[in-house]
Amino acid sequence: MIYKEFEPSDDLKSILKCYWVLEGTSEEINEKQTIVPDGCMEMIFHYGDFYYQYLPDGSKIKQPRCFVFGQLTQKLEIEPSGDSGMFAVRFKPEGLQPISQMAAKEFQDSAVPLDKVLGPEGLSLGSKILDASTSEERIKLIEHYLTATFESSAIADSIVNDAVNTIISSQGRQKINELPIESSVSRRTLERRFTDTVGVNLKQLSKIIRLKTAVHKMINKEYNTLTELAYDNGYYDQAHFIKDFKKYTGLTPKDFFDSNFSFTHLVYENG
């Protein structure tokens, strides 16, 4: 199995975290995988065999070939139908909105076909990405599209951007009711603009980023005890940490390492 991340060009670093590629045969990747929220939305292109996505009732649907997955607020379970070949664009929390024709809150926990998010150009972009034969080709195609589209779109909401940066820099420990905002904007207005742009509200993103920080430390063995990990990441106590952990992963911290979280481990090991 191959998982590799690529940096975006300097012109796109304000909206993107990275590009990534996952490839593997049906023998290498053949089980249901669970992915946990990380505060980012992703544009996914399946150039390998399609993937199934499990719904909360236990049924499964086939994912589109090319789609955007909105903010996760709960665990996501997917399963390959054969050989895996994925190219993805990982956006910063507020990064997709300047090029999207939908408010981010409209596709929370959902895989939405690319043309519904980008318009008719999404179909053309998807075809080009799927027809490309190398990661370098795919990156060149998506960078050309994103650069042109981002330049011609409305400037990203600077107030929302500042709020996101504050939450991330504090690793989710910033108290939302003490979040600094411009005097010309009410907290209610910020909350509405934030949810439309990011796909979750301020408190949700803060909780997701705090948990992401803790999970990163767990996977990279940067802790001694769960109690220490909880306090170091701003949780009131271990019980509070376990409650949030189960809410977003469906498991206790102990069970997390015994289950199929290979995708999550790959992402978090790479930062």
Side-chain angles (χ1 to χ4, degrees):
M1 181 173 66
I2 297 172
Y3 174 81
K4 189 173 182 180
E5 294 183 359
F6 304 85
E7 278 198 11
S9 65
D10 289 342
D11 291 342
L12 293 172
K13 285 183 177 178
S14 63
I15 63 170
L16 301 184
K17 286 182 70 72
C18 69
Y19 306 109
W20 59 264
V21 173
L22 177 75
E23 294 182 346
T25 65
S26 57
E27 288 76 27
E28 294 171 317
I29 309 174
N30 54 21
E31 297 179 312
K32 184 191 296 185
Q33 296 290 324
T34 305
I35 301 167
V36 300
D38 69 351
C40 297
M41 288 179 276
E42 297 196 320
M43 191 179 290
I44 308 286
F45 302 87
H46 283 302
Y47 59 85
D49 294 323
F50 67 84
Y51 264 66
Y52 291 110
Q53 177 182 323
Y54 283 81
L55 302 179
D57 63 5
S59 62
K60 62 183 180 181
I61 58 174
K62 187 190 297 185
Q63 285 191 328
R65 280 284 181 189
C66 308
F67 61 94
V68 171
F69 212 103
Q71 285 281 6
L72 289 176
T73 63
Q74 56 191 328
K75 68 177 181 179
L76 167 67
E77 293 181 313
I78 58 175
E79 185 176 37
S81 67
D83 294 338
S84 296
M86 273 191 241
F87 172 72
V89 184
R90 182 174 299 139
F91 288 84
K92 291 185 175 180
E94 76 282 23
L96 180 68
Q97 195 54 44
I99 65 168
S100 174
Q101 296 189 6
M102 298 171 63
K105 66 179 181 181
E106 294 180 38
F107 47 97
Q108 187 183 93
D109 292 309
S110 300
V112 181
L114 207 55
D115 59 305
K116 288 189 176 181
V117 180
L118 303 182
E121 289 185 353
L123 292 174
S124 174
L125 176 64
S127 295
K128 291 176 182 177
I129 296 292
L130 295 181
D131 288 342
S133 57
T134 66
S135 298
E136 289 71 24
E137 274 186 75
R138 294 185 180 100
I139 291 172
K140 185 175 180 180
L141 286 165
I142 197 70
E143 292 236 323
H144 176 77
Y145 172 81
L146 290 175
T147 301
T149 307
F150 187 52
E151 285 180 349
S152 63
S153 67
I155 296 173
D157 192 323
S158 61
I159 295 172
V160 170
N161 182 262
D162 288 345
V164 169
N165 287 338
T166 299
I167 290 171
I168 291 175
S169 63
S170 71
Q171 297 183 327
R173 299 173 69 170
Q174 167 70 46
K175 293 182 179 179
I176 298 305
N177 60 355
E178 297 177 5
L179 191 71
I181 59 174
E182 291 186 13
S183 57
S184 60
V185 178
S186 69
R187 193 161 293 276
R188 188 173 183 177
T189 297
L190 170 62
E191 187 71 62
R192 175 181 55 78
R193 284 163 59 173
F194 190 95
T195 305
D196 283 346
T197 300
V198 178
V200 290
N201 62 38
L202 289 156
K203 189 174 182 180
Q204 285 176 308
L205 183 67
S206 184
K207 283 189 170 187
I208 289 169
I209 296 301
R210 182 167 58 166
L211 182 71
K212 176 183 177 180
T213 303
V215 173
H216 175 83
K217 290 179 180 178
M218 286 176 62
I219 290 174
N220 290 283
K221 297 180 172 56
E222 298 172 5
Y223 74 105
N224 293 313
T225 67
L226 284 182
T227 300
E228 175 191 286
L229 184 66
Y231 285 132
D232 284 350
N233 286 279
Y235 290 95
Y236 181 73
D237 54 26
Q238 183 177 323
H240 184 196
F241 169 56
I242 292 174
K243 181 182 177 182
D244 264 17
F245 198 96
K246 288 182 72 174
K247 176 182 178 181
Y248 290 111
T249 70
L251 297 170
T252 65
K254 178 181 180 299
D255 293 336
F256 178 79
F257 287 97
D258 297 330
S259 300
N260 295 321
F261 281 82
S262 299
F263 283 10
T264 294
H265 286 207
L266 284 171
V267 171
Y268 280 59
E269 284 169 0
N270 282 268

